[in-house]
Amino acid sequence: MYMKRVSSLARCCFQASTRSLQFPTQRGSGALSSLTGWSRTRSLCRSLSSDNEKRLDTSLFVPVELKNTESPESDIGAELTQPLNKSEVLNILNKFYRRKEIQKLAAENGLDARLFHQAFISFRRYIMETDPLQVDLHIVLNDICCGVGHMDDIFLFFMRHAKQVFPMLDCMDDLRKISDLRLPPNWYPEARAIQRKIIFHSGPTNSGKTYHAIQRYLSAKSGIYCGPLKLLAHEIYKKSNDAGVSCDLITGEELIHVDPEGKPSAHAACTVEMCSVNTPYEVAVIDEIQMIRDPSRGWAWTRALLGLCAQEIHLCGEAAAINLVTELMYTTGEEVEVRNYERLTSLKLLDHALQSLNNLRPGDCIVCFNKNDIFSVSRQIEARGLECAVIYGSLPPGTKIAQANKFNDPDDPCKILVATDAIGMGLNLSIKRIIFNSLVKPTVNEKGEKEIDTITTSQALQIAGRAGRFSSLFKEGEVTTMVQEDLPLLKDILNKPVTDIQAAGLHPTAEQIEMFAYHLPDATLANLIDIFVSLSQVDGLYFVCNIDDFKFVADMIQHIPLNLRARYVFCTAPINRNLPFVCTSLLRFARQFSRNEPLTFQWVCKHVNWPVYPPKTIKDLMHLEAAHDILDLYLWLSYRFMDMFPDAGLVRAIQKELDCIIQTGVHSITKLIRASESRTALQIVDEASTESENALDVTQRPVPRRIRGTKSLPSNSEPQKGSLTSRLVRDGLLTPDLLKQLEKEWMSRQNTRGNQTRLNEPDIVKKSRKKK
């Protein structure tokens, strides 16, 4: 009886002590009161509602594999009591697991049903397989087996084990504080120490808004220009120096000081990700501020807007960003002055579509949203005896400029441009008429999933606005579509009001991830990022940017031994993960870096198989574009690890040479297309005899046409897989009409060969045929 009272008393004391183990799941009133002084009531309400709905995704918690510690030579617990009956202990543990009170207590201490189950499985395996057990645990289990203890007494040992398996349970409050992103303005104390003047230059394309901001930038004693593209940074860099204002160029791949001794100039032109938030300036210009909503890069505009230490900050962009910027600046105590601009030239939406490439005129630009359409349209244009320039996103900057100059030159016979929406910003083009080849575009949603959807009003206006530029040969612009059925949809898109931007992007910094790693040393970088995003709390004015590319690289290089800061830098490298050659190159760079072996010029040349030769097919051209991206990657890393990537100058020299080779290939792109088509045709002719039935199936089956403005078609609507011809049709490299034509040519060739064979037959064979 005495032992039962002691056990009951101990259990009461234990249950009282476990209350101190509970972890709060929501922020306290102190944090909310501090938020009130910064944000409007509406913003606060949105923040509160989002916090209440925020649920921790415990599936991200990866259990830590516990290492076996050295067991003591003697079983002290058994000597003090008696050896344990493991089957009886197993029965007690299973009852412990099923107790509702235990499950509730575990939930109060941060273990939901999933974590509780995983922790119990590990705890049970530990007890059953460890011999001898810790003395205190052995004694408690023995008391329960003897009837003088209660199974609830196991909970203290269970929680101790659970925190070893899931170490984040022991530091959840710290993790929540680190991932609290509700007050981004406080991250930049230097900017908050000054009262900045915010001027928003709002207007459509070709309205002069950027011109006025740049004029103020050039007249200031010091300034920084932040643009979305290297091309724009280069343009301002050149314009500034031509105007007698010394200006440095800062991009992710290069740093150019105009001062011979390498001293920083008072002015700098940079890509927005590279702007300094510690250097004081008189004037800062942030171009294309509407990109603050970009799901991948929006964080860079947020950082520049909140963090630049400039007396005047000039923002250039769409009116859709005015309300958001005003609210963001309200949280910093700064007011926004809005200056509205009207388009300098007229832009007319035509009542008729182009309908046929025979109706092309000088100054026309056909806008496509994928490379296949670019190649197909340019091939058809040159088949009509016309020359065309080609511009798409993956081309090197030098090639884009060369193609733009070719199109703009009034003395050049090239009068037609075929381009993607890459022309939307960064290039000055003399376009009379914009022709949308299609109104659907592949996009990436907030979850990182690819979709095909109708272009937005903002995108349509940005692209259409390239026609009829004030400084071009054509003062009045026109816009239309390729097919008549798209024209009403385009009119509807252009007439819709542009939706106001609701939130600005954020991204976890290297310092925040390092603090996370300090608390969770056994977690992978990708897992740290996942947990960070899951725990993060954001104000309604912000969102966390898509981090799929970051996680992709983190998983790819996880097995390579790198310190956390170097691993973070590699993961932020700008690569196209759809290009295997580029991805494997980053992997090799990281592996060489981890061995502390510098990546020399000779090593890089061997890797990209330098010297390269002019492309003969489209596939060769795409390979050279990937090689250019790899050299870009080397330069990007050399800017951050100069000792390990020492030959940036030599690599930049061959990159310029490679750019010229790519320019040559793009200049004769239709020849490359014809060569590619010839090779494809030869493959089809060679395999036609064995695949004639499949080919007929493909040609006779109606090809599904995607309804414009809808999501991508399900996989069951595609041609059947298997034959080469069906794969080519499915991938868009071959049309059914072209396939029929090739079959006719092949059959004609076979008949010709048969007739020729008969003509060459001996007379005896011919007589034999007549007898039959």
Side-chain angles (χ1 to χ4, degrees):
M1 180 65 69
Y2 171 75
M3 291 299 294
K4 288 183 179 180
R5 289 178 179 177
V6 171
S7 178
S8 177
L9 177 62
R11 184 165 63 255
C12 292
C13 294
F14 162 70
Q15 290 176 347
S17 66
T18 54
R19 294 191 182 97
S20 64
L21 295 172
Q22 298 178 13
F23 299 96
T25 56
Q26 298 178 2
R27 304 296 298 168
S29 58
L32 294 179
S33 63
S34 66
L35 182 62
T36 306
W38 289 97
S39 183
R40 294 182 177 183
T41 305
R42 185 170 70 87
S43 175
L44 176 60
C45 292
R46 287 192 297 185
S47 178
L48 284 170
S49 62
S50 63
D51 285 348
N52 291 333
E53 295 172 0
K54 186 80 171 181
R55 290 181 179 273
L56 178 62
D57 184 5
T58 58
S59 65
L60 302 174
F61 290 178
V62 179
V64 175
E65 185 176 350
L66 300 181
K67 298 179 181 179
N68 293 327
T69 56
E70 294 184 2
S71 301
E73 296 181 357
S74 58
D75 189 351
I76 300 177
E79 294 177 1
L80 293 176
T81 56
Q82 61 184 356
L84 293 174
N85 184 337
K86 288 299 180 78
S87 60
E88 189 174 353
V89 169
L90 178 61
N91 186 41
I92 292 172
L93 292 175
N94 290 335
K95 290 181 180 179
F96 169 83
Y97 174 75
R98 291 191 293 269
R99 276 180 60 79
K100 298 297 183 183
E101 294 81 1
I102 293 297
Q103 295 174 10
K104 182 179 179 181
L105 191 58
E108 292 173 356
N109 285 276
L111 290 171
D112 63 5
R114 178 183 174 277
L115 296 185
F116 177 69
H117 176 74
Q118 286 188 303
F120 173 75
I121 295 299
S122 177
F123 180 63
R124 185 176 62 185
R125 183 170 60 250
Y126 164 74
I127 291 178
M128 301 305 295
E129 296 178 0
T130 303
D131 192 19
L133 285 171
Q134 298 174 359
V135 178
D136 51 355
L137 178 57
H138 183 109
I139 293 175
V140 168
L141 290 172
N142 181 76
D143 287 349
I144 298 172
C145 292
C146 295
V148 294
H150 194 279
M151 66 179 63
D152 287 0
D153 297 340
I154 304 174
F155 187 79
L156 181 63
F157 301 95
F158 168 73
M159 279 304 302
R160 186 169 64 187
H161 183 88
K163 289 179 181 180
Q164 291 176 326
V165 176
F166 297 107
M168 60 283 298
L169 295 174
D170 217 10
C171 54
M172 190 63 69
D173 196 36
D174 289 335
L175 296 180
R176 288 186 182 278
K177 289 178 181 178
I178 297 169
S179 58
D180 191 339
L181 307 180
R182 290 179 294 183
L183 293 175
N186 291 355
W187 303 350
Y188 309 101
E190 292 90 347
R192 300 291 77 77
I194 60 177
Q195 187 67 23
R196 306 178 305 171
K197 182 178 181 181
I198 312 297
I199 302 171
F200 196 120
H201 300 266
S202 169
T205 57
N206 196 28
S207 60
K209 57 184 183 297
T210 306
Y211 169 81
H212 287 89
I214 294 300
Q215 291 304 114
R216 178 67 186 96
Y217 160 84
L218 293 175
S219 65
K221 295 179 181 179
S222 63
I224 184 170
Y225 168 83
C226 308
L229 301 172
K230 288 183 287 186
L231 282 176
L232 285 171
H234 273 275
E235 181 183 337
I236 302 302
Y237 161 74
K238 186 176 185 301
K239 184 178 292 185
S240 297
N241 288 296
D242 289 346
V245 178
S246 296
C247 177
D248 296 337
L249 176 67
I250 308 171
T251 69
E253 293 77 24
E254 61 182 330
L255 171 62
I256 299 178
H257 291 296
V258 294
D259 184 84
E261 298 181 0
K263 296 180 180 178
S265 300
H267 287 72
C270 67
T271 47
V272 66
E273 287 88 351
M274 299 301 296
C275 70
S276 170
V277 294
N278 301 315
T279 307
Y281 296 100
E282 182 182 348
V283 171
V285 176
I286 305 176
D287 207 357
E288 306 294 349
I289 186 62
Q290 71 275 2
M291 290 192 69
I292 200 170
R293 68 181 164 203
D294 187 87
S296 299
R297 297 179 64 200
W299 62 269
W301 276 264
T302 304
R303 174 177 173 270
L305 177 61
L306 297 177
L308 281 173
C309 299
Q311 297 172 24
E312 290 182 24
I313 296 186
H314 292 256
L315 310 175
C316 305
E318 298 176 2
I322 293 176
N323 290 339
L324 175 63
V325 169
T326 302
E327 287 205 59
L328 293 178
M329 293 302 95
Y330 185 88
T331 66
T332 65
E334 297 162 334
E335 295 184 356
V336 179
E337 175 188 340
V338 179
R339 298 179 184 175
N340 294 302
Y341 299 81
E342 298 295 331
R343 185 176 169 85
L344 298 175
T345 58
S346 64
L347 179 64
K348 181 181 179 182
L349 176 61
L350 300 179
D351 294 327
H352 55 276
L354 185 70
Q355 294 186 330
S356 171
L357 295 178
N358 294 327
N359 299 325
L360 287 172
R361 302 194 302 257
D364 280 349
C365 173
I366 302 178
V367 177
C368 309
F369 293 112
N370 62 71
K371 279 188 180 180
N372 285 342
D373 288 347
I374 289 277
F375 298 151
S376 174
V377 171
S378 59
R379 174 77 171 86
Q380 295 176 57
I381 290 174
E382 297 218 0
R384 288 165 168 77
L386 301 173
E387 284 193 34
C388 67
V390 174
I391 297 176
Y392 51 87
S394 59
L395 287 177
T399 303
K400 291 179 184 175
I401 294 174
Q403 289 290 296
N405 292 339
K406 176 181 174 68
F407 173 71
N408 290 338
D409 188 355
D411 298 325
D412 195 290
C414 173
K415 301 301 181 185
I416 309 297
L417 175 64
V418 183
T420 63
D421 54 338
I423 64 166
M425 59 182 74
L427 289 170
N428 293 318
L429 298 163
S430 296
I431 299 173
K432 171 65 175 178
R433 181 170 58 171
I434 288 287
I435 303 159
F436 284 93
N437 187 61
S438 169
L439 294 177
V440 293
K441 176 187 176 182
T443 58
V444 178
N445 62 22
E446 296 177 353
K447 298 179 181 179
E449 300 168 342
K450 288 187 178 180
E451 294 180 345
I452 295 180
D453 210 343
T454 308
I455 60 174
T456 65
T457 300
S458 176
Q459 292 168 336
L461 290 172
Q462 185 79 21
I463 298 169
R466 308 308 292 180
R469 304 287 290 180
F470 180 75
S471 58
S472 72
L473 298 174
F474 306 102
K475 303 305 180 185
E476 296 181 354
E478 299 172 345
V479 57
T480 187
T481 58
M482 179 64 72
V483 295
Q484 190 67 32
E485 64 184 47
D486 279 346
L487 198 53
L489 179 58
L490 178 61
K491 290 180 180 179
D492 183 52
I493 292 172
L494 293 176
N495 290 330
K496 285 182 180 178
V498 178
T499 306
D500 280 353
I501 300 172
Q502 299 298 318
L506 295 174
H507 192 282
T509 65
E511 291 76 17
Q512 289 169 327
I513 298 303
E514 281 182 338
M515 287 189 286
F516 247 58
Y518 172 80
H519 291 289
L520 306 174
D522 297 314
T524 65
L525 180 55
N527 190 228
L528 285 174
I529 289 288
D530 279 333
I531 296 174
F532 184 97
V533 173
S534 178
L535 285 173
S536 64
Q537 300 179 77
V538 294
D539 189 323
L541 297 174
Y542 301 95
F543 69 93
V544 179
C545 285
N546 185 282
I547 53 173
D548 285 350
D549 288 348
F550 186 99
K551 288 167 54 184
F552 171 80
V553 178
D555 287 332
M556 185 173 64
I557 65 173
Q558 179 56 42
H559 66 285
I560 300 176
L562 296 168
N563 64 61
L564 185 65
R565 181 55 69 102
R567 190 179 298 278
Y568 183 92
V569 171
F570 272 94
C571 290
T572 55
I575 67 167
N576 184 348
R577 58 175 175 168
N578 295 321
L579 299 177
F581 189 26
V582 177
C583 294
T584 55
S585 298
L586 178 62
L587 186 63
R588 292 191 64 183
F589 285 3
R591 188 176 292 117
Q592 185 92 346
F593 181 93
S594 69
R595 294 196 290 259
N596 203 30
E597 299 175 3
L599 288 91
T600 62
F601 176 70
Q602 292 76 14
W603 189 94
V604 174
C605 288
K606 183 178 179 182
H607 177 67
V608 299
N609 199 24
W610 185 266
V612 298
Y613 302 96
K616 296 181 179 179
T617 65
I618 289 295
K619 184 178 179 180
D620 295 341
L621 177 63
M622 295 175 68
H623 177 76
L624 294 182
E625 291 171 6
H628 190 279
D629 287 348
I630 291 169
L631 300 182
D632 245 1
L633 176 62
Y634 181 96
L635 296 174
W636 190 89
L637 290 167
S638 72
Y639 189 83
R640 291 148 182 83
F641 304 111
M642 296 182 183
D643 294 339
M644 297 301 294
F645 297 83
D647 296 330
L650 296 173
V651 170
R652 186 168 285 110
I654 66 169
Q655 189 188 42
K656 291 180 180 178
E657 188 176 342
L658 176 59
D659 198 336
C660 293
I661 295 173
I662 294 175
Q663 288 180 37
T664 303
V666 173
H667 183 70
S668 57
I669 194 167
T670 53
K671 294 180 181 178
L672 303 184
I673 297 171
R674 284 197 296 268
S676 300
E677 289 176 350
S678 298
R679 292 191 177 188
T680 302
L682 287 175
Q683 292 177 3
I684 293 172
V685 169
D686 289 340
E687 299 189 14
S689 59
T690 58
E691 298 190 356
S692 56
E693 293 183 3
N694 291 334
L696 289 173
D697 288 343
V698 173
T699 56
Q700 292 170 1
R701 187 186 304 114
V703 178
R705 184 181 186 276
R706 184 176 64 240
I707 300 175
R708 299 179 186 274
T710 60
K711 308 294 182 184
S712 56
L713 291 171
S715 59
N716 59 9
S717 64
E718 298 176 352
Q720 292 180 358
K721 300 180 180 179
S723 67
L724 172 64
T725 51
S726 61
R727 292 199 303 273
L728 291 171
V729 171
R730 184 191 66 226
D731 295 338
L733 299 175
L734 186 65
T735 64
D737 291 339
L738 181 58
L739 183 58
K740 288 181 180 179
Q741 183 180 348
L742 290 170
E743 287 178 350
K744 289 179 180 178
E745 291 177 4
W746 182 78
M747 294 299 295
S748 176
R749 186 179 302 178
Q750 292 296 100
N751 293 334
T752 303
R753 287 178 181 175
N755 293 335
Q756 187 65 35
T757 301
R758 291 190 178 97
L759 288 174
N760 295 332
E761 285 178 346
D763 291 341
I764 187 170
V765 176
K766 293 178 180 179
K767 291 178 181 179
S768 170
R769 288 185 182 277
K770 290 180 179 179
K771 289 180 181 180
K772 291 182 179 179

